[in-house]
Amino acid sequence: MSAAARFSDPELAMTDASAVPILSSRGLAKTFRVGGADVVALQGVDLDIRRGEFVSFVGPSGCGKSTFLNMVAGLLPATAGTAHLAGDPIREPSRRVGFMFQSAVLLPWRSVLSNVLMPAEVYGLDPASLREKARAVIASVGLAGFEDAYPRQLSGGMQQRVALARVLTYEPEVLLMDEPFGALDEFTRETMNIELMRISQAAGITVLFVTHNIGEAVFMADRVVVMTPRPGKVSGIVDVGLARPRTVQTMRQPAYSDLVFEVRRLLGGNHGES
Ligand SMILES: Nc1ncnc2c1ncn2[C@@H]1O[C@H](COP(=O)(O)OP(=O)(O)O)[C@@H](O)[C@H]1O
Ligand SMILES: [Mg+2]
């Protein structure tokens, strides 16, 4: 076989592509200038995230978790360092990276379906061509029958489901989630978490999931990135080897408690210890 033929072998190409981290950062840092003073939000973050991985981020408030996601999303320029998406430098927001916040940010005068189709206009796609896809995704997040409802007719949890459908319709490779269910009651949050794992696994989406709930961070993730207080750095990374699919029963396993304890230890302090 000639070299040219070997390099065009689709299987080889796939192997090569999967060897490149879907996301990588080197020395990623951000300093904000606030009223003449420098606030170092994030310092030298080195991270490689594999395609399809679910990575949780925990750390004290103000340690730069949102700043990190914003830079990876291409919404905020770094002060130093680099971030790459599948080997390409991240310079601006891209459809390949979806973002979901604590608030659903829905337009109140638009129906569920119309809210889900809204990014199509931003991306220069024809919304009509995406209607069937959007309906299927709305059904997959448990909202079949609510396509024509308005946000005010939905609970907070249902509104977050709409936000999830809105981001999934555009098939992002990476989903950035900044405390996405933090405003929901605990029972709803747990249900949403389990559905998010099911959906992201089925679609092979890479998820970066920021939460201040240590138990939730472990429950969801393949790895938990623990950050230090500001200026944020990576204090440690915990591998979570718990089997999937994870259920409420997962939280009863001693291995789960051990992992939660390990994350607490990395966070420093003596949370929960007497
Ligand atoms: N746009 C901004 N301008 C100035 N300071 C900011 C800005 N965004 C964040 N910061 C500061 O950067 C630090 C990290 O913030 P953030 O990334 O929101 O932390 P986290 O999400 O971990 O709570 C904080 O001290 C915050 O006040
Ligand atoms: Mg934040």
Side-chain angles (χ1 to χ4, degrees), residues 32-34 39-42 59-68 70 76 178-179 210 230:
F32 291 105
R33 189 106 187 127
V34 183
V39 174
V40 183
L42 207 67
S61 183
C63 74
K65 302 181 295 295
S66 297
T67 300
F68 178 74
N70 284 323
L76 190 67
D178 199 352
E179 306 190 20
V210 168
R230 187 163 63 80

Side-chain angles (χ1 to χ4, degrees), residues 62-123:
C63 74
K65 302 181 295 295
S66 297
T67 300
F68 178 74
L69 286 199
N70 284 323
M71 289 195 288
V72 166
L75 294 167
L76 190 67
T79 312
T82 56
H84 286 82
L85 175 69
D88 302 326
I90 296 170
R91 299 185 211 281
E92 56 190 4
S94 137
R95 257 177 72 192
R96 300 171 67 186
V97 180
F99 210 144
M100 206 177 141
F101 307 92
Q102 189 166 32
S103 145
V105 211
L106 304 175
L107 294 179
W109 60 88
R110 286 194 174 210
S111 69
V112 165
L113 181 61
S114 170
N115 266 287
V116 168
L117 288 173
M118 209 185 56
E121 298 163 22
V122 179
Y123 296 139

Side-chain angles (χ1 to χ4, degrees), residues 10-164:
E11 265 190 21
L12 266 183
M14 223 143 89
T15 312
D16 290 344
S18 62
V20 176
I22 182 77
L23 268 175
S24 78
S25 72
R26 287 293 174 275
L28 199 63
K30 184 70 189 182
T31 300
F32 291 105
R33 189 106 187 127
V34 183
D38 281 343
V39 174
V40 183
L42 207 67
Q43 231 177 20
V45 174
D46 296 337
L47 217 52
D48 284 322
I49 295 176
R50 295 183 289 274
R51 199 176 277 275
E53 210 179 0
F54 197 117
V55 181
S56 294
F57 290 78
V58 290
S61 183
C63 74
K65 302 181 295 295
S66 297
T67 300
F68 178 74
L69 286 199
N70 284 323
M71 289 195 288
V72 166
L75 294 167
L76 190 67
T79 312
T82 56
H84 286 82
L85 175 69
D88 302 326
I90 296 170
R91 299 185 211 281
E92 56 190 4
S94 137
R95 257 177 72 192
R96 300 171 67 186
V97 180
F99 210 144
M100 206 177 141
F101 307 92
Q102 189 166 32
S103 145
V105 211
L106 304 175
L107 294 179
W109 60 88
R110 286 194 174 210
S111 69
V112 165
L113 181 61
S114 170
N115 266 287
V116 168
L117 288 173
M118 209 185 56
E121 298 163 22
V122 179
Y123 296 139
L125 304 169
D126 172 20
S129 70
L130 280 163
R131 285 181 90 85
E132 286 322 301
K133 167 91 187 159
R135 285 181 180 281
V137 176
I138 289 168
S140 80
V141 300
L143 287 178
F146 288 93
E147 295 82 355
D148 299 324
Y150 287 89
R152 66 173 179 278
Q153 301 172 304
L154 307 177
S155 69
M158 291 164 87
Q159 292 189 22
Q160 279 307 67
R161 286 173 192 268
V162 178
L164 184 57

